Amino acid sequence: MNDNKDNNKVAELRLIEGNLLIDPIEAGGDFVSAEATNTRLMGVVGVHILRDQGGDAFHQFFYIDTEEYGLDDYQSFLGMTDEEAEKKKKELFGALGGDWSPITEKEALHLIKTSSRINIKRKLPLPDGLDEYRPILQSDVALTLSELADLWEKIAIKPRNDYELINYYIMRMVASDSQGMRRLSAPRGDLRPINVSNPGTLLRNEITKDDSTDKNIYTSVSLMDIDKNYQLVESKIEIVDHLVKRFIPKPALEISPWETSLILNQSEYLIYATIKDSSGAKDDDKHFSKLMSSIFDTLTESEYDFGTLYMVFRKNNDHVRNKIYRLDHDTLGVVCHLYTDEVVIAGNDILHVETIEKVLLAASMVEKIDLEIKGRYKFPEPVLVRFIDSNLERFSDFLEYIQKFQDS
């Protein structure tokens, strides 16, 4: 009896090759490849691992937030084709605005395992599917300093001008990201921190170059959101050899939400259209959703009682290169499809709004969606968000309300 039990135990043992980082059977299959987005300086990284599970492709997708949420999302798919995998990558990570870089299995495990420590530290739940990626979290993986430097080159872009360097540096500082700051600063610089109690968000940063000197010296004015406490900070920055050599901030000035809204206020361009001869609100919404996902790679959608809101993001993060950086400039515009068969395109850049319109009109003709433009508007401040908060079902009613308000 006991001998049989011992034999059974022996039969369950598996010989794992010495060069394997984790057991392929436990991990979901033999390792084939891995890749990551080069968006580390934005505070997020997407990781995609492909394994061979008995001849079937096993895809694992990890969404990593390096600031607050750690391992934020996980999805896996068995038997997915290469084309389906590419589509899923765009759906999950397209809004990050980065490119994919091949990484090693060891680098992938390191990114996933270290990000989970943020979950543990902040007492945040891990994403569903833990049984599938538990072997990664339990793996004995450690990168040398040289390997960490190699990985950083793959997951973070090199700032292409001083504005981009400064914007990313302050962004990382406001997010309490010491690793990101260290990669962008000189080893022995005069670097004084902006005091933030918790990881925050850089909403706007305006940079001015000091033309009175041959040195690369700049002044920045940063608008930050720290747990809904808004602050303005003026800083003096010196760049040497494409790194931050000196950073000296003045004490933060706390401002009200109203003052913040005034600073962030900008014009909104809006195109109003209707869909003729619809077959039903819910069916049309599914049809329209399929249309939007087929023409825009970098897209997110959110459902509301009145319909669906689509955020169309840039395909890159070039807006960080500007002397005035704004968090909300990572989008090209917003498309709102209402159950009332109305479509609203809105954004702060008329060229981007008109580009969305042209692409949407062309695709609608192919899909036999009769989209008719009814009006074009420019408002001195955002109004689409006011419609969302208005509880009105029809956008035409909202436009009529605005007109009456202006005439009164």
Side-chain angles (χ1 to χ4, degrees):
M1 239 2 225
N2 291 333
D3 290 341
N4 288 337
K5 286 183 179 181
D6 291 339
N7 289 337
N8 289 338
K9 288 180 180 180
V10 172
E12 292 174 357
L13 295 177
R14 294 187 298 272
L15 180 63
I16 302 177
E17 296 180 26
N19 63 340
L20 292 181
L21 297 168
I22 54 177
D23 185 345
I25 296 178
E26 293 180 355
D30 295 316
F31 177 78
V32 176
S33 64
E35 56 185 344
T37 59
N38 63 345
T39 52
R40 174 61 180 80
L41 288 178
M42 297 299 293
V44 289
V45 177
V47 176
H48 170 219
I49 298 177
L50 172 60
R51 294 187 176 275
D52 181 3
Q53 190 175 116
D56 290 326
F58 180 52
H59 294 267
Q60 294 177 291
F61 300 97
F62 300 85
Y63 189 99
I64 294 172
D65 184 314
T66 64
E67 300 171 5
E68 293 186 81
Y69 303 108
L71 190 51
D72 195 28
D73 190 26
Y74 168 75
Q75 295 187 33
S76 65
F77 302 88
L78 181 63
M80 179 180 275
T81 66
D82 291 343
E83 183 179 353
E84 290 171 334
E86 287 299 315
K87 184 177 180 181
K88 181 57 65 173
K89 282 164 56 179
K90 291 176 181 178
E91 175 188 324
L92 297 176
F93 309 107
L96 300 185
D99 297 318
W100 290 89
S101 303
I103 60 175
T104 66
E105 182 182 19
K106 186 177 183 180
E107 290 170 334
L109 301 188
H110 167 82
L111 285 172
I112 297 162
K113 182 173 181 177
T114 53
S115 69
S116 70
R117 293 172 184 164
I118 299 177
N119 299 69
I120 296 171
K121 180 180 179 180
R122 297 178 62 87
K123 297 180 181 179
L124 300 172
L126 289 166
D128 293 340
L130 176 59
D131 288 343
E132 290 184 355
Y133 61 85
R134 191 193 306 274
I136 296 177
L137 306 189
Q138 295 178 340
S139 63
D140 186 18
V141 175
L143 299 185
T144 65
L145 292 178
S146 175
E147 289 172 330
L148 287 171
D150 289 342
L151 175 59
W152 184 267
E153 293 296 317
K154 299 175 183 179
I155 63 174
I157 66 167
K158 281 188 175 181
R160 291 154 290 183
N161 61 23
D162 288 353
Y163 295 138
E164 189 171 27
L165 173 62
I166 293 169
N167 284 327
Y168 272 130
Y169 182 80
I170 296 177
M171 200 186 303
R172 296 299 89 224
M173 180 178 288
V174 175
S176 302
D177 179 5
S178 58
Q179 183 187 35
M181 292 165 54
R182 187 168 61 251
R183 296 288 179 179
L184 298 174
S185 58
R188 289 174 293 277
D190 183 7
L191 306 170
R192 308 177 194 181
I194 295 175
N195 293 320
V196 293
S197 54
N198 292 303
T201 302
L202 179 64
L203 301 177
R204 187 182 187 275
N205 195 54
E206 183 168 356
I207 305 168
T208 305
K209 192 176 191 303
D210 185 352
D211 293 327
S212 65
T213 174
D214 292 335
K215 295 182 179 180
N216 293 324
I217 295 177
Y218 300 85
T219 299
S220 74
V221 178
S222 310
L223 174 60
M224 310 176 301
D225 176 0
I226 313 294
D227 292 336
K228 298 303 177 184
N229 292 317
Y230 301 102
Q231 300 177 6
L232 276 174
V233 175
E234 181 181 317
S235 307
K236 188 71 71 175
I237 306 119
E238 182 179 0
I239 306 300
V240 177
D241 294 331
H242 308 294
L243 292 172
V244 178
K245 180 70 174 180
R246 185 162 62 100
F247 187 88
I248 303 176
K250 292 182 178 179
L253 173 66
E254 292 193 9
I255 61 175
S256 67
W258 178 75
E259 291 171 307
T260 301
S261 66
L262 289 179
I263 295 172
L264 294 178
N265 186 56
Q266 57 188 343
S267 299
E268 182 170 75
Y269 298 91
L270 189 146
I271 297 174
Y272 171 59
T274 58
I275 299 176
K276 297 173 62 178
D277 302 324
S278 62
S279 59
K282 294 293 183 182
D283 290 338
D284 282 344
D285 196 57
K286 292 179 181 178
H287 192 189
F288 196 85
S289 176
K290 185 178 179 180
L291 171 69
M292 289 292 294
S293 61
S294 68
I295 58 179
F296 296 111
D297 293 337
T298 54
L299 186 77
T300 62
E301 59 180 276
S302 304
E303 292 186 8
Y304 292 85
D305 292 337
F306 55 79
T308 305
L309 192 71
Y310 301 89
M311 299 284 291
V312 183
F313 286 82
R314 294 172 179 263
K315 291 187 177 182
N316 55 54
N317 291 309
D318 284 354
H319 63 295
V320 187
R321 300 170 64 179
N322 299 330
K323 65 184 298 183
I324 298 179
Y325 161 81
R326 288 179 61 113
L327 176 66
D328 55 2
H329 279 185
D330 61 346
T331 61
L332 295 177
V334 178
V335 178
C336 185
H337 177 236
L338 284 74
Y339 293 140
T340 54
D341 297 319
E342 297 171 294
V343 175
V344 181
I345 306 170
N348 58 67
D349 188 313
I350 183 61
L351 295 178
H352 292 160
V353 172
E354 289 180 341
T355 298
I356 293 174
E357 175 201 9
K358 291 175 183 177
V359 173
L360 192 54
L361 282 172
S364 297
M365 291 177 63
V366 174
E367 293 294 325
K368 294 182 172 52
I369 296 177
D370 193 354
L371 191 64
E372 182 178 357
I373 304 300
K374 293 292 188 179
R376 304 170 188 276
Y377 307 88
K378 178 184 177 181
F379 297 96
E381 58 187 25
V383 298
L384 183 57
V385 66
R386 292 191 177 185
F387 165 71
I388 293 173
D389 294 335
S390 70
N391 294 321
L392 293 173
E393 293 185 358
R394 300 191 63 85
F395 193 78
S396 58
D397 294 338
F398 179 72
L399 288 175
E400 186 177 334
Y401 166 77
I402 291 179
Q403 187 63 47
K404 287 181 179 178
F405 181 79
Q406 290 178 337
D407 293 341
S408 61

